[in-house]
Amino acid sequence: MASPSEPQSGPGTNPGSTPPPASWGPATGVGSVPGTDPAEALRVVLGELPGLPHLPELPARGPGADLVGRSAALLVDLAVDLTPAGWRLVPRGGLDLRRAQEMLARDLDALHDVAGTHQGPLKVQAAGPWTLAAGLERERGERAVVDPGARRDLAQSLTEGLAAHVAEVSARVPGARVVVQLDEPSLPMVLQGGLPTASGFGRLPAVAAPDVQAELAAVVAAVPAPVVVHCCAPRAPLDLLRAAGAEALSFDLGLVQDLDALGTAVDAGVHLLPGVVPGTDAVLPQPKATASRLRAWWRELGFPADDLHEAVTLTPSCGLAGASPAYARAAMTHVREAARYLLPE
């Protein structure tokens, strides 16, 4: 597999333009980490994952720092508010939305202060359109995912917000080559009809796979940066994510059994971000053992051994928000060290 070329994203990137190919580092994080201090979290990420650092998410800060609230803070011309049942679309935003927007702004300020001189790829994360639609209720009280019009409006608003976010990150870190990760943990439930209704007594109907693919593809195509789609849930629809145009797929290696889907993705030039260590505290193996496990998996896929280090970026299996600070740092160190053992001898 040839080395991918490097993108030249920056503040002048035109939303909707075709993003340049991505340059992937050897290891990165999924997104969330423990703690409440964005500057300290960034220092840890930059120190442990210099090849592909990410803008940390800190859900321990409370509502607005969670995946749905943080992503809703990116929306353009749509507002949300927090109810006892969760986040809801509303005509006008209030204190809850302002809190989410202020936390995101503080994160960007910390990014400038701590990582302003960074050169190379830098990853940011947000909920994908389907997880966002599954996590937001309409004013009438049901999830937005059941309403095609609401889904379309959300996807368009999210795309505009992501374009602005990429520009803001690029302005604060001029040497960054921004990569956008869309988190889609709810996508398998959307496809399987497994999402509970607002009452909790029923299940929402499944959404047809062609509709899911088409709506996701529209967002992926319009984001002005290379796009990774992350799904660490069981039965991640890897073929659908690849067909939607994702340049990279992020998944829990222990949950993916569909080797054909992975092989097809590699053949298509899609980069892989396998999650190789738990997202919560556990006894970690030696990094060399993790590398050996990956080599065995790669042999089973049937690709040349020397291609492995260029085809993958190692990550924890999911976000680290539920881990202790010591374990979170150890997990980041582990994936970085394991990636070194993948280099050809």
Side-chain angles (χ1 to χ4, degrees):
M1 178 176 175
S3 298
S5 58
E6 298 178 351
Q8 301 295 324
S9 55
T13 303
N14 293 320
S17 63
T18 301
S23 174
W24 310 102
T28 191
V30 171
S32 67
V33 298
T36 58
D37 183 339
E40 175 59 24
L42 270 164
R43 282 190 284 268
V44 172
V45 168
L46 284 166
E48 300 298 338
L49 301 168
L52 179 54
H54 64 285
L55 182 61
E57 300 164 343
L58 301 168
R61 290 183 292 183
D66 60 291
L67 176 62
V68 173
R70 182 179 176 85
S71 302
L74 296 171
L75 295 174
V76 175
D77 295 331
L78 289 178
V80 300
D81 205 0
L82 193 59
T83 73
W87 291 96
R88 178 174 293 180
L89 290 162
V90 293
R92 289 175 300 279
L95 178 62
D96 297 316
L97 179 58
R98 287 197 298 274
R99 184 190 304 117
Q101 292 169 335
E102 287 168 1
M103 283 191 284
L104 186 57
R106 286 199 295 272
D107 290 351
L108 291 175
D109 289 342
L111 182 67
H112 173 73
D113 293 341
V114 177
T117 60
H118 173 73
Q119 300 280 330
L122 173 67
K123 183 165 69 68
V124 299
Q125 306 83 216
W130 288 99
T131 291
L132 192 58
L136 286 174
E137 291 187 358
R138 299 176 299 173
E139 286 186 73
R140 294 189 296 276
E142 195 50 87
R143 296 175 191 258
V145 73
V146 303
D147 183 336
R151 294 198 315 251
R152 182 179 60 251
D153 291 345
L154 265 176
Q156 292 174 351
S157 177
L158 176 64
T159 302
E160 288 185 49
L162 285 169
H165 189 49
V166 169
E168 289 174 351
V169 169
S170 298
R172 286 166 172 80
V173 189
R177 300 189 297 274
V178 180
V179 173
V180 172
Q181 176 179 301
L182 298 178
D183 290 319
E184 286 286 13
S186 299
L187 194 50
M189 298 291 275
V190 169
L191 290 163
Q192 297 156 22
L195 290 171
T197 60
S199 69
F201 294 113
R203 291 288 182 270
L204 297 177
V207 182
D211 293 337
V212 171
Q213 180 181 317
E215 293 186 34
L216 179 60
V219 175
V220 170
V223 171
V227 174
V228 183
V229 181
H230 169 74
C231 182
C232 58
R235 290 184 281 186
L238 299 180
D239 276 330
L240 184 152
L241 302 180
R242 172 190 52 77
E247 285 199 38
L249 303 178
S250 174
F251 52 91
D252 182 343
L253 183 62
L255 294 179
V256 173
Q257 306 300 321
D258 190 351
L259 296 183
D260 288 341
L262 289 172
T264 299
V266 174
D267 281 334
V270 175
H271 195 73
L272 302 182
L273 284 78
V276 296
V277 294
T280 53
D281 290 37
V283 176
L284 294 174
Q286 291 297 313
K288 191 172 184 178
T290 295
S292 296
R293 173 190 171 203
L294 279 158
R295 286 198 194 92
W297 165 75
W298 191 248
R299 284 196 300 271
E300 194 172 356
L301 287 177
F303 293 104
D306 287 350
D307 290 355
L308 174 57
H309 72 289
E310 292 182 342
V312 300
T313 295
L314 304 190
T315 75
S317 61
C318 210
L320 295 167
S324 66
Y327 177 81
R329 185 189 289 265
M332 290 184 239
T333 303
H334 183 95
V335 294
R336 186 191 75 235
E337 291 297 316
R340 290 176 56 191
Y341 285 106
L342 299 182
L343 294 172
E345 297 179 358

